[in-house]
Amino acid sequence: MFADTKATMIKANKLGNNRVNRLLSQSLFLISTAGNDFLAFGDGRATRSDASAYIAKMVTTYLKHIKELYRLGARRLGLLDALPIGCLPGCRTSFGHDDACDAAANSLARRFNALLRLEMASAKAASMPGMEYSIASIYGIFSDMITNPELDNGLQEATSACCGGGRLNAELDCSASSNLCTDRDGYVFWDKVHGTQAAYQRAVAAMFDGAALTKFTEPVSFGQLITGKQAAPVAVLDKLERPYVDLEAEI
């Protein structure tokens, strides 16, 4: 009787595991990382001469966690690349670029984004069969909002933060006593480092839009990733290779 009960429990556990594995393989795992890591270049923990090794380590660590998710059953990933960090209100005030984005900081983000795409494609081909993924260019989406305020997107304030204090309302953290804008839906940035809900609503629409495939998502849109209707991969490095190389000259 004990043997029969044990066999039944093993069978039930196996059926449960199979169901969990199936659910995991059908689920979308959304990953956004790297933004805070670039603070090391602003607080003295890393210098521009360390950029190549530092960014390579970031990407290696990123891929390590993705491979662990794959081992645990994840088969569908949505990845968000790094923001144009030099355009964050907090970065502008820290580096004294109130009227313009910090080009050197943005070049670090572009370098990370290019390497992430290259290494993710390589890792999938080498060791993650069955993995489907899409990388959304948060860098590109936010850059469009910031540099093209004349576009009919309703976000007319792309420099200052909605909640904070000091220059650009971005020298102080957002708190209950902070200066608060009157129309948060008209701002790209909520505080000195985070986008507003309105900005991310527009970003999500771009990620899922198949028409934006070659501009904001690759190798497929998030919509195609979820529905399984795959599109032909686009040439990723053509758009990113030059910023990747430009940084070498700057550092």
Side-chain angles (χ1 to χ4, degrees), residues 89-100:
C91 184
R92 291 188 189 222
T93 57
S94 295
F95 291 100
H97 297 286
D98 290 16
D99 298 326

Side-chain angles (χ1 to χ4, degrees), residues 3-185:
D4 290 343
T5 302
K6 183 177 181 180
T8 300
M9 291 177 64
I10 291 174
K11 183 177 181 180
N13 287 337
K14 185 176 181 180
L15 289 172
N17 288 338
N18 288 340
R19 184 182 180 193
V20 169
N21 289 337
R22 185 170 66 253
L23 289 173
L24 287 174
S25 69
Q26 295 172 348
S27 299
L28 175 65
F29 291 79
L30 185 63
I31 304 175
S32 174
T33 189
N36 290 342
D37 295 290
F38 288 109
L39 294 176
F41 293 97
D43 61 19
R45 288 180 291 129
T47 65
R48 293 294 164 84
S49 62
D50 302 324
S52 293
Y54 187 88
I55 290 172
K57 178 65 174 178
M58 286 171 62
V59 173
T60 298
T61 303
Y62 201 147
L63 266 294
K64 177 182 177 181
H65 291 298
I66 287 176
K67 289 177 181 178
E68 179 63 12
L69 283 174
Y70 178 84
R71 187 188 70 80
L72 293 171
R75 293 296 183 271
R76 194 177 294 175
L77 298 181
L79 311 179
L80 309 185
D81 69 7
L83 286 158
I85 55 174
C87 297
L88 302 179
C91 184
R92 291 188 189 222
T93 57
S94 295
F95 291 100
H97 297 286
D98 290 16
D99 298 326
C101 299
D102 185 84
N106 278 347
S107 69
L108 294 173
R110 291 197 303 271
R111 176 68 177 271
F112 170 83
N113 292 341
L115 189 59
L116 173 63
R117 284 162 170 77
L118 183 65
E119 294 299 326
M120 183 63 198
S122 177
K124 176 187 183 300
S127 61
M128 294 188 287
M131 171 65 80
E132 300 297 338
Y133 72 93
S134 175
I135 300 181
S137 179
I138 290 294
Y139 186 102
I141 293 171
F142 269 77
S143 291
D144 262 14
M145 294 185 207
I146 293 165
T147 60
N148 299 304
E150 71 279 2
L151 295 178
D152 186 22
N153 60 18
L155 301 175
Q156 298 304 311
E157 178 50 63
T159 302
S160 298
C162 175
C163 181
R167 291 175 19 248
L168 302 184
N169 216 26
E171 291 183 296
L172 303 175
D173 291 331
C174 179
S175 68
S177 60
S178 294
N179 296 323
L180 186 64
C181 66
T182 57
D183 180 19
R184 67 190 69 183
D185 289 337

Side-chain angles (χ1 to χ4, degrees), residues 2 139 171 186 225 230:
F2 176 78
Y139 186 102
E171 291 183 296
L225 181 66
Q230 302 296 308

